[in-house]
Amino acid sequence: MNYTVLTLFPEIIESYFSASIMAKAVERSLVRYKIVNIRDFAQDKHHSCDDAPYGGGAGMLMLAEPLALALESAGAAKKNEENRRHTPRVVYLTPSGKPFTQGLAAELAQEEEIALLCGRYEGIDQRIIDLYVDDEVSVGDYVLSSGEVAALCVIDATYRLGAGVLRSESLAEESFAGGLLEYPQWTRPEIFMGLSVPEVLLSGHHANIRKWQLEKRIEKTLAVRPELIERGLAEGIFDAGTRLLIEKVKSSVGDDRNRTDDLLNAIQAL
Ligand code: ADE
């Protein structure tokens, strides 16, 4: 995967590419990256990259001209140009973009090259979006002070899906794989602060362990992200065994709720 990051703060991005698993992926040429400092394309003697918005309003906007020049330097083509086959997919990070999900990460991971445009201030001139941006992407319903951190989220979630970066079994079991969150896990010691590792995990019975882990994934997902289960059922992504287990967990949660209601009613009747 090739990433080009267009930013006013190259050092934030550089530090990420130089650390940990990412640094190894770069060393092994599984990942290539280029950082473009938008300020290098400023046109006035003050190297200005922002100005006040037409029509008034709070804050400043990033100027169109340095952004267009920076994008062109990264090989980006205008959307109305005919041959865009070998040009990067241009992703602009903004809180008003479409949500960044594991599905979108998987889609972007298929690209040969992505150019990530990081906004600062109140955003960028709309003409840049109209002319160059393929996807406006938000990493969540909150406002960050800049797009750099959001761009790093996109890079992190996509490069690890690329061939050779991680073992495929890690990817198959992690949260969101198969539409469910991950099951809880324990490591040594067997007892910590009086809390024991669940028996089944010490049993060595692999089929039971797998079933128990799937049940835990379902319980966790139903508790904190029930909409993922409903979406998965509607999209038909669960196999028959998983669907049965979902029904079983749902009804036992219902039973627990009924028992709690009975208990509360009994207490109130006292
Ligand atoms: N820039 C500021 N906030 C953002 C967000 N939530 N997602 C993407 N880019 C952003």
Side-chain angles (χ1 to χ4, degrees):
M1 167 67 90
N2 296 302
Y3 298 98
T4 302
V5 186
L6 300 106
T7 170
L8 286 169
F9 296 90
E11 58 282 10
I12 299 177
I13 307 296
E14 185 60 55
S15 68
Y16 173 74
F17 277 102
S18 325
S20 186
I21 306 176
M22 173 56 101
K24 290 208 183 76
V26 171
E27 201 181 292
R28 291 165 60 207
S29 299
L30 298 172
V31 168
R32 274 175 273 272
Y33 72 99
K34 219 167 32 192
I35 301 176
V36 174
N37 187 344
I38 297 164
R39 203 169 294 285
D40 290 344
F41 297 89
Q43 296 297 294
D44 66 3
K45 66 175 192 294
H46 305 292
H47 304 289
S48 309
C49 286
D50 62 316
D51 208 335
Y54 283 112
M60 305 286 266
L61 283 187
M62 287 174 78
L63 292 166
E65 198 171 14
L67 286 174
L69 292 169
L71 281 161
E72 299 269 350
S73 85
K78 291 198 202 72
K79 288 191 278 187
N80 64 5
E81 278 175 25
E82 250 158 46
N83 194 358
R84 297 182 76 229
R85 247 180 8 128
H86 296 292
T87 63
R89 179 155 163 182
V90 177
V91 174
Y92 167 48
L93 287 312
T94 166
S96 41
K98 63 186 167 191
F100 186 55
T101 59
Q102 190 65 27
L104 183 53
E107 186 191 320
L108 292 175
Q110 303 296 317
E111 295 287 336
E112 237 168 74
E113 183 164 359
I114 307 179
L116 295 141
L117 176 55
C118 305
R120 277 262 160 176
Y121 317 113
E122 288 303 307
I124 68 176
D125 188 303
Q126 180 62 33
R127 287 166 290 194
I128 293 299
I129 298 171
D130 296 341
L131 288 167
Y132 291 98
V133 171
D134 295 302
D135 305 86
E136 293 178 76
V137 171
S138 163
V139 295
D141 290 341
Y142 41 77
V143 179
L144 300 166
S145 52
S146 76
E148 279 76 12
V149 173
L152 294 181
C153 288
V154 173
I155 294 167
D156 198 289
T158 50
Y159 93 95
R160 60 196 296 287
L161 299 178
V165 178
L166 294 186
R167 288 184 315 165
S168 57
E169 57 273 34
S170 316
L171 296 176
E173 284 180 7
E174 65 188 11
S175 287
F176 305 113
L180 297 170
L181 303 181
E182 198 172 13
Y183 49 80
Q185 297 184 82
W186 289 259
T187 183
R188 285 186 300 169
E190 235 175 88
I191 301 176
F192 175 70
M193 292 193 175
L195 299 175
S196 307
V197 174
E199 276 299 316
V200 63
L201 299 179
L202 308 172
S203 69
H205 192 304
H206 294 296
N208 281 354
I209 291 174
R210 289 284 161 218
K211 181 163 174 258
W212 183 86
Q213 287 172 333
L214 178 57
E215 201 166 325
K216 291 291 150 190
R217 293 185 73 184
I218 293 169
E219 279 175 16
K220 177 85 197 271
T221 313
L222 273 172
V224 303
R225 298 290 305 277
E227 78 282 8
L228 292 180
I229 300 262
E230 294 317 315
R231 195 188 313 154
L233 287 170
E235 290 173 359
I237 62 171
F238 302 130
D239 61 23
T242 306
R243 288 200 304 275
L244 260 176
L245 222 44
I246 289 173
E247 283 319 308
K248 184 181 145 209
V249 174
K250 270 184 174 172
S251 66
S252 72
V253 170
D255 288 350
D256 283 351
R257 238 183 246 131
N258 290 341
R259 266 197 291 279
T260 312
D261 288 347
D262 289 348
L263 204 64
L264 285 174
N265 289 338
I267 291 168
Q268 273 161 6
L270 286 177

